C-alpha cells in the first residue's frame, strides 16, 4: 500500500522551453531591440523579459 515515491518522476529536466535559446544568436525584442531569451528562428512577436512583463501588466489591468 505504501509504495516509495518515484523521485525521477518528480524531477524537472533542465531543458529549455520550446523556442528558448541555449546560446546566441538571440532574437531582438520587437519593442526595444534588446536581445531576448528566444532563438532567432522563433516566429512571431519576440519580447525581452522587461517588455514581456510590461505587456503582461498592460493587458492584465485593461478593464
Amino acid at each position: 500500500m505504501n509504495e516509495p515515491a518515484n523521485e525521477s518522476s518528480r524531477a524537472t529536466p533542465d531543458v529549455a522551453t520550446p523556442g528558448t535559446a541555449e546560446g546566441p544568436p538571440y532574437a531582438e525584442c520587437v519593442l526595444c531591440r534588446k536581445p531576448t531569451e528566444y532563438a532567432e528562428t522563433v516566429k512571431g512577436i519576440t519580447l525581452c523579459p522587461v517588455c514581456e512583463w510590461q505587456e503582461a501588466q498592460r493587458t492584465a489591468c485593461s478593464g
Side-chain angles (χ1 to χ4, degrees):
M1 299 221 147
N2 277 342
E3 295 179 17
N6 186 354
E7 293 297 321
S8 64
S9 65
R10 291 186 194 175
T12 55
D14 292 332
V15 177
T17 56
T20 57
E22 293 182 12
Y26 297 108
E28 278 187 348
C29 175
V30 296
L31 298 177
C32 69
R33 314 285 278 177
K34 291 183 181 176
T36 66
E37 57 188 20
Y38 301 105
E40 283 186 341
T41 58
V42 172
K43 294 184 180 182
I45 297 174
T46 54
L47 300 173
C48 71
V50 173
C51 291
E52 198 169 296
W53 181 82
Q54 290 173 343
E55 186 65 24
Q57 291 296 314
R58 280 192 287 271
T59 58
C61 294
S62 62

